[in-house]
Amino acid sequence: AAGVIQSPRHLIKEKRETATLKCYPIPRHDTVYWYQQGPGQDPQFLISFYEKMQSDKGSIPDRFSAQQFSDYHSELNMSSLELGDSALYFCASRPWTSYNEQFFGPGTRLTVL
Amino acid sequence: EDQVTQSPEALRLQEGESSSLNCSYTVSGLRGLFWYRQDPGKGPEFLFTLYSAGEEKEKERLKATLTKKESFLHITAPKPEDSATYLCAVQEAGSSASKIIFGSGTRLSIRP
């Protein structure tokens, strides 16, 4: 079965650089979520989108922005990277019509040096 | 403030030694409670969704139960491949359906 695809899987950046993470949801899933998971921590909700519009906002820094495109894929743009941004970034998707579980991608490991 | 608390933080068991993981939650109303398994460096893998007190779901050696204030993940005769972090998450009723609140997880280690 198709799963959530994230790219890149690993990314190394310097402080103050920018990064763009991509997420391709499961087909027919129109809702996308972004999470940040620091070492040894639980996933923290950043932001979500439904039908290309932001549906909810969590603890996303102002330096980050995201959007969902017409094909439902989403991109998380991160600017002025800081050492503390090093983490696993997960994307999850689900169909809006269902209150069921979110399906997670494999994550992007971002390392800021 | 809404909270999801998991215990214990870490649990080491001998292969075949059954046990239970706990997830306590404090939300004004529950839309759904989810259990995930997460292996190191990988995304959470969905296990179960529970919606109402008294509900139970099973999958292989795992069984999840739900009361009004907590959920248990029972592991029967575990094997080393069951070693992982088990995350509990809740979705609050009446709020945006977008976000779920995760607990900190229980790191389960099964010794052969």
Side-chain angles (χ1 to χ4, degrees):
Chain A
V4 177
I5 297 171
Q6 291 188 246
S7 68
R9 294 294 311 279
H10 302 273
L11 189 59
I12 300 175
K13 291 286 185 178
E14 300 277 344
K15 280 175 56 178
R16 292 180 287 280
E17 286 191 322
T18 61
T20 297
L21 310 185
K22 296 185 178 182
C23 168
Y24 298 85
I26 293 172
R28 292 181 295 282
H29 284 198
D30 46 18
T31 305
V32 168
Y33 308 81
W34 285 98
Y35 290 85
Q36 178 191 59
Q37 187 175 29
Q41 298 179 1
D42 55 285
Q44 295 293 315
F45 171 71
L46 294 178
I47 195 167
S48 62
F49 291 87
Y50 164 64
E51 284 292 342
K52 294 150 282 185
M53 293 185 65
Q54 180 182 310
S55 57
D56 206 350
K57 196 171 182 179
S59 53
I60 184 169
D62 292 339
R63 299 176 288 107
F64 295 5
S65 65
Q67 58 181 325
Q68 186 180 32
F69 296 85
S70 57
D71 64 351
Y72 297 108
H73 94 272
S74 178
E75 295 183 4
L76 178 65
N77 299 293
M78 311 160 71
S79 62
S80 303
L81 287 170
E82 301 174 356
L83 297 179
D85 296 328
S86 296
L88 273 169
Y89 290 83
F90 292 109
C91 171
S93 74
R94 72 169 176 86
W96 181 258
T97 53
S98 168
Y99 290 148
N100 288 335
E101 63 280 356
Q102 299 176 14
F103 293 89
F104 282 78
T108 293
R109 179 175 294 280
L110 173 66
T111 302
V112 181
L113 302 176
Chain B
E1 184 176 328
D2 296 338
Q3 271 197 321
V4 179
T5 304
Q6 290 188 246
S7 62
E9 285 189 15
L11 182 62
R12 288 191 173 187
L13 300 173
Q14 197 69 34
E15 183 174 1
E17 180 184 0
S18 302
S19 188
S20 296
L21 313 183
N22 176 263
C23 172
S24 299
Y25 60 92
T26 54
V27 296
S28 55
L30 183 69
R31 173 175 280 163
L33 184 142
F34 311 95
W35 281 99
Y36 287 88
R37 168 192 170 129
Q38 186 173 28
D39 293 296
K42 296 187 178 180
E45 174 191 346
F46 169 75
L47 295 174
F48 305 108
T49 305
L50 302 167
Y51 294 104
S52 57
E55 189 174 1
E56 298 183 353
K57 289 191 176 175
E58 286 188 68
K59 180 180 179 181
E60 295 180 350
R61 295 178 292 280
L62 300 175
K63 178 180 177 180
T65 61
L66 181 65
T67 71
K68 288 187 177 179
K69 291 297 181 186
E70 58 189 354
S71 176
F72 292 94
L73 184 65
H74 308 277
I75 301 178
T76 302
K79 298 181 178 181
E81 53 262 42
D82 295 322
S83 298
T85 295
Y86 290 85
L87 295 167
C88 169
V90 301
Q91 194 171 58
E92 185 179 17
S95 68
S96 164
S98 289
K99 57 183 178 182
I100 59 176
I101 305 166
F102 280 91
S104 297
T106 294
R107 293 188 309 278
L108 178 65
S109 176
I110 309 298
R111 297 189 301 270

